[in-house]
Each structure stands twice: as structure tokens, then as C-alpha cells.
């Protein structure tokens, strides 16, 4: 199985995935790291681990459609089976999502469906919730609305700032993302409607693959 990681920035979740692949916790290969930002730290991390990188600069494309077509074509050429979004700061078009049905996952720093979109940690603090966390989910055509694979809860403590809360959530992200991707790669994840069932030895990957292709 070949994974593509799409990242725009720091790439700490990419790092967690790289380490999980390197120690075979995730039995797959990261075939490519794609960024829309030429200077992204994520690219540097990939290079340090001998992973191929590619940059798609939005400015080089006339609109979202042509940008997404270029990225989709590239990922197909690279025989990518699974796409992991890791701080990729672009919304994927419906065409992009449909090109990889149930084959795109994302990590989001809140307990979805609460606080989708940008600045999820700030949204949680502003709302005054007592618990937030992170979510790994399949990407569908909505904004952070796809079926949920896993979540981790992080309590909000007195005097939390967006920095302190983000740091505690990030710690959980680095554990949750490899765990969820491992389950998907192992074929243990079955999507029924918008519910995800995880079953060891489920062989769902092959079953879903047969149904779809
Ligand atoms: C993380 O908080 C992730 O949940 C969100 O974007 C951030 C990316 O951080 N989608 P990093 O680039 O992986 O360090």
C-alpha cells in the first residue's frame, strides 16, 4: 500500500506517520509527500527520511479545479492507495474527493462535529467547553464532516491558552493518527453509512476494494 501525505506546514503529524511506517507499525510505504507551500517544514522532514516530495503552488494554476486535477493526476500516476492530510490548508474539491473514494483521511484538532474548520482550538476555548481533543476521519465532500475513525479527548484546564491547549491536543494527535492509519491500512475499517466499524482481521480493505473497483 502506498500512502501520500499532503501537508502545508510544520509537518509534526507527518513525522509521526513517518516514524510509524519506519518501525513497521503502519505496514505501508509513504510514496510521496505533497505540499502547496514550497518552504513547508514538512518537505524538509520528508527529504531527511528519503521520501520523494512534490510542490504544487496554487499560484501556478488558474483555479481550484485545475490545481486539484493536477494533484489528482499526479497521485494516480504515483499509484497512491491512501491519502493522509496532515495540516493541508486547502479544501479539496468534490472531484478530488470522488477520485479517491474513502481513500482520504484527515486529522482535525477538535472533537468533531464540534468546531470544524480553522482555529478549532480557539473555537473550543471561546465556546467554553470543558473537553476538546482530536479526530481522525475520512474526508467526504463536506468540511470536516466525513465518517469518524477515532478520537482522543483532551480536558481543557484553567488558564489554558490556544498555545497550551494546542500542544496538549497535538501530543494526542501524534498517537491517534498512526493508530487510525494503521487500522485503515490493515483493512480493519469498515464504513457503514457514516459509521466506522473497526474489527481486527476484518479484511475490509479488500472487500471494499472489490466493491468499488
Ligand atoms: C494539526 O493540529 C492538525 O490537527 C491540523 O493541522 C495541524 C497540523 O500540524 N489539521 P502539523 O503540521 O502536523 O504539525
Amino acid at each position: 500500500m502506498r500512502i501520500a501525505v499532503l501537508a502545508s506546514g510544520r509537518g509534526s503529524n507527518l513525522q509521526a506517520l513517518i516514524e510509524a511506517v519506519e518501525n513497521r507499525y503502519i505496514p505501508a510505504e509513504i510514496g510521496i509527500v505533497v505540499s502547496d507551500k514550497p518552504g513547508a517544514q514538512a518537505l524538509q522532514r520528508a527529504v531527511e527520511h528519503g521520501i520523494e516530495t512534490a510542490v504544487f503552488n496554487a499560484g501556478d494554476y488558474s483555479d481550484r479545479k485545475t490545481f486539484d486535477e493536477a494533484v489528482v493526476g499526479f497521485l494516480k500516476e504515483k499509484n497512491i492507495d491512501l491519502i493522509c492530510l496532515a495540516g493541508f490548508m486547502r479544501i479539496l474539491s468534490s472531484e478530488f474527493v470522488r477520485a479517491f473514494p474513502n481513500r482520504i483521511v484527515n486529522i482535525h484538532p477538535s472533537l468533531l462535529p464540534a468546531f470544524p474548520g480553522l482555529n478549532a482550538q480557539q473555537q473550543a476555548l471561546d465556546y467554553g467547553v470543558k473537553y476538546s481533543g482530536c479526530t481522525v476521519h475520512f474526508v467526504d465532500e463536506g468540511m470536516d464532516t466525513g465518517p469518524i475513525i477515532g478520537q482522543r479527548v483532551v480536558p481543557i484546564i484553567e488558564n489554558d491558552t490556544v498555545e497550551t491547549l494546542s500542544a496538549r491536543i497535538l501530543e494526542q494527535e501524534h498517537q491517534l493518527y498512526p493508530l487510525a492509519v494503521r487500522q485503515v491500512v490493515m483493512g480493519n475499517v469498515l464504513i457503514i453509512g457514516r459509521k466506522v466499524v473497526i474489527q481486527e482481521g476484518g479484511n475490509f480493505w479488500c472487500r471494499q476494494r472489490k466493491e468499488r473497483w
Side-chain angles (χ1 to χ4, degrees):
M1 169 140 353
R2 282 169 62 76
I3 296 175
V5 181
L6 273 53
S8 299
R10 180 178 55 186
S12 69
N13 279 288
L14 164 67
Q15 187 73 40
L17 293 175
I18 290 174
E19 283 164 21
V21 164
E22 285 182 349
N23 66 30
R24 303 308 292 160
Y25 179 68
I26 297 175
E29 171 194 2
I30 300 181
I32 190 90
V33 170
V34 173
S35 184
D36 58 331
K37 297 271 181 287
Q41 195 189 342
L43 293 169
Q44 192 51 43
R45 293 180 193 265
V47 169
E48 278 164 18
H49 289 264
I51 300 168
E52 193 183 333
T53 60
V55 175
F56 286 81
N57 209 330
D60 298 341
Y61 299 87
S62 52
D63 53 20
R64 175 185 307 279
K65 193 168 174 286
T66 50
F67 178 91
D68 278 15
E69 276 169 8
V71 178
V72 166
F74 178 74
L75 295 174
K76 295 273 182 194
E77 244 171 56
K78 293 279 168 192
N79 289 317
I80 293 304
D81 302 296
L82 179 70
I83 299 170
C84 298
L85 305 181
F88 191 59
M89 299 307 285
R90 290 180 64 88
I91 295 171
L92 306 185
S93 62
S94 299
E95 288 78 14
F96 193 133
V97 174
R98 282 192 222 125
F100 291 94
N102 296 334
R103 292 290 171 263
I104 310 174
V105 295
N106 180 41
I107 185 149
H108 182 79
S110 76
L111 292 175
L112 291 171
F115 315 127
L118 290 176
N119 305 321
Q121 301 94 332
Q122 186 66 58
Q123 290 187 56
L125 289 173
D126 292 347
Y127 198 94
V129 290
K130 302 297 184 197
Y131 294 89
S132 191
C134 51
T135 303
V136 175
H137 63 94
F138 285 104
V139 173
D140 66 7
E141 292 174 37
M143 154 91 88
D144 299 326
T145 51
I148 291 172
I149 304 168
Q151 294 185 303
R152 284 285 176 92
V153 176
V154 174
I156 290 177
I157 55 183
E158 230 181 284
N159 301 326
D160 246 342
T161 62
V162 72
E163 289 78 22
T164 57
L165 177 60
S166 300
R168 289 205 317 289
I169 292 176
L170 200 60
E171 250 177 60
Q172 296 302 316
E173 292 184 35
H174 296 162
Q175 293 178 26
L176 178 65
Y177 211 4
L179 197 145
V181 171
R182 171 184 159 85
Q183 295 294 3
V184 174
V185 166
M186 301 276 286
N188 295 340
V189 172
L190 179 66
I191 307 169
I192 306 171
R194 61 159 299 108
K195 288 193 190 140
V196 167
V197 176
I198 298 181
Q199 196 180 297
E200 294 291 330
N203 207 17
F204 297 133
W205 175 267
C206 299
R207 277 163 52 180
Q208 287 188 357
R209 212 180 162 109
K210 250 188 228 147
E211 282 159 22
R212 293 203 170 270
W213 296 329

